[in-house]
Amino acid sequence: MKPVQSELKKWMQENKNFKENYIRIKQEVLNDPEIKEFLSYHPTLPEKEVEKNLIKLYEYKSQSKQCDKCKSFEQCQNMLQGYSPVLHVKDNEIHLSYEKCHLRLDHEKQQQQQQLIESLYMPKEILNAAIDDIDHDTERGSGIRQLLLFLEQTKSGLPSKGIYFYGPFGVGKTYLLGALANALKEYNISSMLIYMPEFVREIKSSIKDDSINEKINYFKKADVLMLDDIGAETQSAWFRDEILGSILQYRMMEKLPVFFTSNYSLEHLEEQLGRSNRGGVETVKAGRIIERIKQVSKEIPLSGENRRDV
Ligand code: ADP
Ligand code: MG
């Protein structure tokens, strides 16, 4: 007899707890300001329907609505990360559904935009550079103005000329390119940033590879191509004429802008590119590359303090 009694007692206790819990949850739910508001919009909802859906209403109440309880997408508190609950009534029945929250939409947009920047061998800090973080000192002022002008013009169509930034080491030339690439994402324009010395190495090592033409096509066709540190690469007549020359030729014909950074002015770059020294021919070929650079970009000097020492 005893076990049955104790079981019964236990059941009654649990049942009591259940009832108490139920009443408490019901009060909590019905006193919730948002639930009250929802019910006030639907005065014809039968009380039974409300009772039947107490759990749904409780779920709605406990979730963050359009990120009101979440600091970021990563810290989302909801059962479904990045989804916000919505209550609605159809044919006098309560329905609970979930829709993407603001933070999820922002997160998805950022991820999509991140794919708009492709880079080869660029440091992370450069890929995170932002136009708004650029210090507007007088020395770099005109360079930054040109960059802003390019962005302004982009609103009505991609300009056919980029910028050739040249100046001493550490003045922030590469940083400007990173900031520009990030700003262009906002206009859904893709950028390809390449560090020239590694680019030459990469192309040379894939000569035998069938993918070389595919790679080169990629550089030819990117919305905005950015060649970082031109002149610092190991000089090779083959790379200069067959690779760089053909990429620039294509972009010149298609009116697609190219940005460059260099320690050399165009005049000095011409000497540098003509250096493999097989006589006059090299000078002519170097001159041809310089002409193409001038067609796809505008030469702008940058000076200022060496920011690597700051
Ligand atoms: P360069 O390409 O002219 O040699 P970098 O762009 O690499 O110079 O800049 C040198 C250092 O200064 C980098 O560490 C870069 O992140 C930093 N830097 C450059 N410009 C800025 C800026 N406007 N604001 C903050 N940091 C900068
Ligand atoms: Mg640099």
Side-chain angles (χ1 to χ4, degrees):
M1 216 47 205
K2 215 175 177 196
V4 176
Q5 258 183 11
S6 73
E7 277 303 301
L8 198 63
K9 219 172 157 186
K10 204 172 140 209
W11 185 84
M12 279 170 68
Q13 185 61 33
E14 276 173 4
N15 199 30
K16 190 166 161 258
N17 281 349
F18 175 79
K19 264 194 178 154
E20 273 172 13
N21 274 342
Y22 181 80
I23 291 168
R24 187 177 50 78
I25 286 178
K26 186 175 170 183
Q27 274 172 352
E28 230 178 85
V29 166
L30 295 180
N31 282 329
D32 181 80
E34 282 174 317
I35 302 279
K36 271 186 176 169
E37 193 184 348
F38 168 74
L39 292 177
S40 76
Y41 289 139
H42 305 283
T44 58
L45 257 182
E47 204 181 322
K48 254 196 164 162
E49 180 63 18
V50 176
E51 293 255 347
K52 205 172 86 190
N53 287 290
L54 220 50
I55 295 298
K56 265 186 206 165
L57 295 175
Y58 185 76
E59 183 178 323
Y60 177 80
K61 175 186 159 332
S62 67
Q63 298 290 288
S64 161
K65 261 75 86 189
Q66 284 301 342
C67 321
D68 63 352
K69 293 182 195 155
C70 307
K71 285 200 189 104
S72 65
F73 174 69
E74 285 71 23
Q75 289 169 289
C76 175
Q77 299 183 357
N78 283 359
M79 293 192 300
L80 287 166
Q81 192 189 24
Y83 286 87
S84 186
V86 187
L87 277 180
H88 47 103
V89 171
K90 200 180 163 210
D91 301 331
N92 259 345
E93 281 183 4
I94 297 176
H95 296 271
L96 176 66
S97 59
Y98 281 85
E99 62 183 22
K100 287 181 185 178
C101 67
H102 299 310
L103 289 173
R104 172 176 276 276
L105 291 174
D106 288 351
H107 176 79
E108 287 179 357
K109 188 170 168 219
Q110 266 179 14
Q111 280 199 324
Q112 267 174 3
Q113 288 188 332
Q114 206 50 47
Q115 290 167 358
L116 289 174
I117 299 191
E118 291 208 49
S119 65
L120 270 182
Y121 314 106
M122 298 299 289
K124 209 170 176 193
E125 54 165 19
I126 297 297
L127 297 176
N128 289 330
I131 289 266
D132 292 340
D133 295 342
I134 297 175
D135 308 330
H136 287 248
D137 51 24
T138 42
E139 287 149 315
R140 291 181 308 153
S142 89
I144 295 163
R145 259 200 313 282
Q146 295 291 334
L147 215 59
L148 295 175
L149 188 67
F150 181 87
L151 275 174
E152 187 58 36
Q153 289 168 344
T154 299
K155 288 181 187 163
S156 51
L158 197 58
S160 57
K161 277 193 180 194
I163 302 172
Y164 180 95
F165 283 124
Y166 71 96
F169 183 71
V171 293
K173 301 180 297 294
T174 304
Y175 191 88
L176 288 184
L177 293 191
L180 177 66
N182 278 312
L184 287 170
K185 286 194 307 196
E186 302 294 324
Y187 301 116
N188 270 334
I189 291 175
S190 68
S191 312
M192 177 96 222
L193 275 109
I194 314 167
Y195 181 55
M196 278 301 277
E198 291 293 344
F199 181 41
V200 174
R201 242 167 275 159
E202 164 119 8
I203 290 289
K204 279 187 176 167
S205 71
S206 60
I207 291 177
K208 290 192 193 104
D209 190 334
D210 283 344
S211 70
I212 190 165
N213 283 332
E214 200 182 308
K215 277 184 193 161
I216 290 168
N217 265 333
Y218 221 61
F219 302 123
K220 282 180 177 171
K221 290 174 183 174
D223 291 338
V224 175
L225 180 67
M226 301 181 173
L227 300 179
D228 188 41
D229 242 338
I230 188 168
E233 69 277 16
T234 316
Q235 289 308 316
S236 134
W238 171 78
F239 181 85
R240 180 195 61 201
D241 303 329
E242 302 302 321
I243 309 298
L244 184 60
S246 89
I247 291 173
L248 294 180
Q249 172 76 13
Y250 181 89
R251 298 191 66 93
M252 188 177 92
M253 306 292 283
E254 297 295 318
K255 301 201 180 325
L256 291 167
V258 185
F259 283 78
F260 302 86
T261 76
S262 184
N263 287 335
Y264 301 100
S265 66
L266 280 177
E267 196 187 334
H268 287 135
L269 183 71
E270 187 165 358
E271 289 168 20
Q272 184 72 6
L273 293 179
R275 253 196 198 155
S276 37
N277 271 342
R278 272 189 268 132
V281 183
E282 298 301 309
T283 321
V284 171
K285 287 186 172 169
R288 201 175 288 155
I289 296 285
I290 298 296
E291 273 318 302
R292 288 177 190 162
I293 293 178
K294 284 181 181 165
Q295 294 291 322
V296 294
S297 70
K298 190 171 158 187
E299 188 180 15
I300 306 276
L302 266 190
S303 57
E305 59 187 341
N306 182 344
R307 298 197 60 105
R308 286 171 212 257
D309 299 337
V310 179

